[in-house]
Every structure is written in C-alpha cells, then in structure tokens.
Amino acid sequence: MSEHNEVEVPMAGTDVLVVGSVNYDYIVTQDRLPRRGETFAAAGAKGAFGGKGANQAVQAARLGATVRFIGACGADGLGRQCLDNLRSQGVDCHMRPTEESSGLGIVHVVGEGDVYATIVEGANGAVDRGWIDENAQLFQDAGVVVIQNEIPAEANERTVELAAAAAVPVVFNAAPARPVAERVTRRCTWFVVNEDEASAYLGRDLGDVRDDTAMRRAVVDLQRFCRGVVLTLGSRGCYVADGTSVQFIEAVPTHAVDSTGAGDSFIGAFADALVNGSDPVAAAVDATRVASITVEGVGAQSSMPTREVLTSEVL
C-alpha cells in the first residue's frame, strides 16, 4: 500500500459512474471582459447544457461507455430539459427530487477561446450523503467512479467511501478548487487538476507552464493529496504521475475556438479509457486527443466528439 493513498484497487465492473453537477449554461462571446461600471456589447450569446458532472458523463457516453449518473436537476423547465438531454445521450440518470431551481453556469468566452465562468449551485446542492446512500447499488457495477467539486463535499466524501468499499477506483476532478480533506483525496486513485486549481491547492504559484522542471515539481507536490496525479495545462499538454514516474504528454495542435468543457471532455475520455483497460498514460493520451476536438467548437457538450469522430479524424 502506498504512503500517499490509503487504498489501491482493481476495477470491479464496467460502468462509468459519475456523481456530480448538472447546469444550464449561458455562453456569452465577447472580445474582452467589461471594465468596472462599463456596459460592453457582446458578439453573441447562446444557451447550452453543462455542469462538470453532466459534461463528463456525456463525453464518456459518446465514446461508448455505459454511464450511470447520480445528481439532481432543477424543478423548473431548464431542469427538465437538462434531464431529457442526458437521457437522450444514453446516460442512465438517478436524480434526486428537489424544488430548487436549476444549477446555472454563466460563461464568458473571450478573445482566442479563454473562458471566465461563474456557477450558481441551485439543485446541485440537494445532492447529499443520503442521496448517495440511496443509490449505493450503482457502485457494484462500476469500473470507475468520477467526482468533481460542484456538489456538496459531504456527497463526494460518501461517494469515495462507497467506492472504496466496492473496490472501485475514483477519478477526482478537484474543480473548482475548494478545501478538501487529504483523508478523502488519498482514498482516490486519480487527482486531476489544471494549473490554476493546482496553484490553489498548493498555495503557491506554479511558475511558467512551459518550465518542465517547475511543472514536474508541482506534480510531485500534488502527490501529497493522491498517489495518482494528472496536471492538465491546456494547449501545453498534461503531466501524469502514477507514483513511480512522471510523464509529459504533449497537446494535440488545434485551432481553439472555445475551451469551455475541454477539461470535462478530458475527464470523460480518461474515465472511458481506464474502464476499457488502458494504462494511465495511454488513457491520458486519448483524453488529450478528445479534448483537442472539443475546443474546436463553441460550448461544452455540443462540441464533444463521438467514438466515430475520434476514430475517423484522430486515431
């Protein structure tokens, strides 16, 4: 047993089980952000389905995985649309009934695809320990469990406990960054963050993402949270650490239009590859390729590729 992780387990089933958020996104495209007190005219706006959990579930499903989802949708019209959308993508949904309004994402896409996002928790706050327990049977067929930080921490903690009891590895996309107990992260198999989230967890600036030495040092430092670490760096690529080595994976060159959902696309593809038997580095290579397609379109789920697209255009 590793000194970093409390548990190392083989995959038990074949499903991808996502426990997470469902949002409806309002995406505003503009040249820049407005200054304080300024009213700035945007180039365009559109609505799209989102939420980190939902995005990751959809990407895994589009790649052919059997995906189960535990979460909550709003009681309003947007919530019903979000639920219908997930089901239409082939995701088996287990949503907690709630009178809360839908979770929302306000996304500003600026310049060459840079993203500034604000989320409103809404119905996602209804996902608690009790709801995870009510769906405990789903862990028995899971090959991997995926969590993020857009639902209450107590739900994530209970998810990790049930996954450990069922001998199922956990991919923890610790985004957005928020305080989390190391006793929870150390029971996960993979801790996946981007450079901004890594900086928040380590409490320091990482330095230039092109500085290989600095990035490797950051990955090693992140291993205090979990033995397995993936540090994603957007157009630079990513680093994968499995406890014995740290490997760099270069990004696939692409014309980025909107980076919304790229990280979620990476996670969904990473989980799909793991559950299909890929080793972590190969899984990250595939995930990097999938994310490179996602950034070529506007929106998160609307830009995520299917297995057929991946096979014909990338692999």
Side-chain angles (χ1 to χ4, degrees), residues 90-103:
V91 177
D92 177 32
C93 297
H94 299 259
M95 300 299 189
R96 182 173 189 179
T98 177
E99 294 304 312
E100 294 290 334
S101 58
S102 293

Side-chain angles (χ1 to χ4, degrees), residues 16-21 52-53 56 69-70 127 132 139 144-161 163 169-176 178 180 184-185 187-192 264 267 271:
V16 173
L17 175 59
V18 180
V19 181
S21 58
K52 288 186 178 298
Q56 293 166 10
F69 189 94
I70 302 173
V127 185
I132 304 303
F139 289 79
V144 65
V145 172
V146 180
I147 58 174
Q148 327 78 32
N149 276 339
E150 289 185 343
I151 59 173
E154 66 172 274
N156 277 348
E157 183 168 350
R158 185 56 178 156
T159 296
V160 172
E161 290 172 354
V170 176
V171 175
F172 184 10
N173 177 213
R178 71 183 184 195
V180 59
V184 175
T185 62
R187 300 185 79 178
C188 298
T189 312
W190 292 100
F191 188 76
V192 187
D264 297 331
I267 295 292

Side-chain angles (χ1 to χ4, degrees), residues 23-47:
N23 290 339
Y24 189 81
D25 290 344
Y26 292 101
I27 303 170
V28 181
T29 305
Q30 54 204 95
D31 293 332
R32 60 174 174 81
L33 293 176
R35 293 183 293 271
R36 183 176 182 270
E38 177 187 21
T39 299
F40 185 76
K46 63 177 290 187

Side-chain angles (χ1 to χ4, degrees), residues 37-250:
E38 177 187 21
T39 299
F40 185 76
K46 63 177 290 187
F49 299 109
K52 288 186 178 298
N55 291 344
Q56 293 166 10
V58 167
Q59 182 62 89
R62 286 192 179 172
L63 295 176
T66 298
V67 181
R68 318 286 182 193
F69 189 94
I70 302 173
C73 283
D76 50 18
L78 290 177
R80 289 189 291 274
Q81 291 179 46
C82 288
L83 178 57
D84 289 344
N85 169 66
L86 281 171
R87 288 173 171 165
S88 74
Q89 301 286 342
V91 177
D92 177 32
C93 297
H94 299 259
M95 300 299 189
R96 182 173 189 179
T98 177
E99 294 304 312
E100 294 290 334
S101 58
S102 293
L104 297 175
I106 312 300
V107 182
H108 300 267
V109 181
V110 179
E112 307 241 332
D114 292 332
V115 170
Y116 298 82
T118 301
I119 58 172
V120 179
E121 183 179 61
N124 296 308
V127 185
D128 60 12
R129 247 182 115 84
W131 188 239
I132 304 303
D133 281 336
E134 286 194 42
N135 291 280
Q137 76 282 356
L138 297 179
F139 289 79
Q140 300 307 312
D141 293 322
V144 65
V145 172
V146 180
I147 58 174
Q148 327 78 32
N149 276 339
E150 289 185 343
I151 59 173
E154 66 172 274
N156 277 348
E157 183 168 350
R158 185 56 178 156
T159 296
V160 172
E161 290 172 354
L162 291 178
V168 182
V170 176
V171 175
F172 184 10
N173 177 213
R178 71 183 184 195
V180 59
E182 290 183 24
R183 61 181 169 76
V184 175
T185 62
R186 285 173 178 166
R187 300 185 79 178
C188 298
T189 312
W190 292 100
F191 188 76
V192 187
V193 289
N194 65 22
E195 66 268 33
D196 293 324
E197 293 145 5
S199 178
Y201 285 111
L202 294 178
R204 64 173 176 83
D205 181 68
L206 302 190
D208 189 338
V209 298
R210 294 165 295 184
D211 184 339
D212 181 70
T213 300
M215 294 305 101
R216 289 177 182 273
R217 182 170 64 250
V219 170
V220 171
D221 289 348
L222 286 166
Q223 287 185 295
R224 84 166 191 250
F225 293 99
C226 183
R227 179 173 179 266
V229 169
V230 180
L231 174 61
T232 61
L233 301 172
S235 60
R236 164 81 171 132
C238 69
Y239 287 84
V240 179
D242 61 4
T244 59
S245 65
V246 178
Q247 297 196 48
F248 173 67
I249 297 168
E250 191 171 356

